[in-house]
Amino acid sequence: VLNQSMSAALSSQLVLHAVSPPPVLDESEAETAVPPSVPPNIISQLVQDLMKHTHDPACVALTIIIEIGEDVVKQLLLKWRETETNKPLLPRLFQRLGETNPTSENKSVSGYLVQLLCTWCAGAEVVVKNMLELHDCINLFDWLEQETNDSDGGNGTMVVTKGLMALLVGLWLEYLGECEHAGWSRNVIISTIKSRVGYS
């Protein structure tokens, strides 16, 4: 339903309201003010659900908003800050991913998280650079090291997650090109894959 009803303009408006909420009005202004066309806290609520619960729908909703909003939304979301901690969204997502590591009981949310990260950085070099600046990005290779046949219960969750993780690393390689950023380069990533995962 969200995918069918969402537009690029509405997606941008949702994120813009989350990044720069409308000013608080006094009583006299509030009486004559036009109500906002969208609630300003939807993005924050989705992130809150994602951080505090195993909430796959929140991941899916954020992914749809990013995909439809394209470049404008991808860049605006880099400016979003959590109210309680003032932390940006990317570090919070990587923190959540670390909490659902390859040895945790619930891995399904990780697949949705990696899909969200892939959608966010696809076609957006600035997002890739922000990801590579995070210390936790090295931990993503833990997923590529994980065996797919010993703890998945036969449901294919780990296979899908590892496939998405490989796609994410591929996007890093694509947008790094021949450059280096935050200590990462094509050679560094390829060497990390070779040493931790291997080529076979």
Side-chain angles (χ1 to χ4, degrees), residues 17-83:
H17 279 200
V19 174
S20 301
V24 178
L25 305 177
D26 58 34
E27 292 184 3
S28 60
E29 292 175 320
E31 291 178 358
T32 58
V34 178
S37 56
V38 294
N41 62 343
I42 289 180
I43 300 297
S44 298
Q45 185 61 54
L46 289 173
V47 175
Q48 182 179 0
D49 289 344
L50 180 55
M51 292 301 123
K52 295 184 178 180
H53 312 284
T54 302
H55 202 65
D56 295 350
C59 266
V60 174
L62 280 172
T63 300
I64 292 173
I65 290 170
I66 291 171
E67 184 175 17
I68 293 176
E70 299 181 336
D71 291 346
V72 173
V73 165
K74 290 177 181 181
Q75 295 192 38
L76 278 174
L77 275 178
L78 290 175
K79 301 179 181 180
W80 181 89
R81 294 292 186 274
E82 189 175 37
T83 302

Side-chain angles (χ1 to χ4, degrees), residues 71-154:
D71 291 346
V72 173
V73 165
K74 290 177 181 181
Q75 295 192 38
L76 278 174
L77 275 178
L78 290 175
K79 301 179 181 180
W80 181 89
R81 294 292 186 274
E82 189 175 37
T83 302
E84 296 178 357
T85 65
N86 199 36
K87 288 184 178 180
L89 180 56
L90 265 182
R92 296 292 282 138
L93 292 180
F94 275 76
Q95 177 185 342
R96 189 69 180 94
L97 186 63
E99 293 169 357
T100 54
N101 57 60
T103 59
S104 67
E105 293 182 0
N106 178 29
K107 305 179 184 67
S108 63
V109 70
S110 296
Y112 287 109
L113 271 173
V114 181
Q115 183 179 9
L116 192 162
L117 293 171
C118 287
T119 302
W120 195 355
C121 74
E125 182 179 349
V126 64
V127 179
V128 173
K129 289 182 176 180
N130 273 264
M131 286 186 183
L132 293 175
E133 291 170 2
L134 298 174
H135 175 73
D136 289 340
C137 72
I138 186 65
N139 298 329
L140 301 187
F141 291 95
D142 293 343
W143 288 97
L144 296 178
E145 288 183 296
Q146 183 72 7
E147 295 291 336
T148 57
N149 58 0
D150 60 351
S151 61
D152 198 14

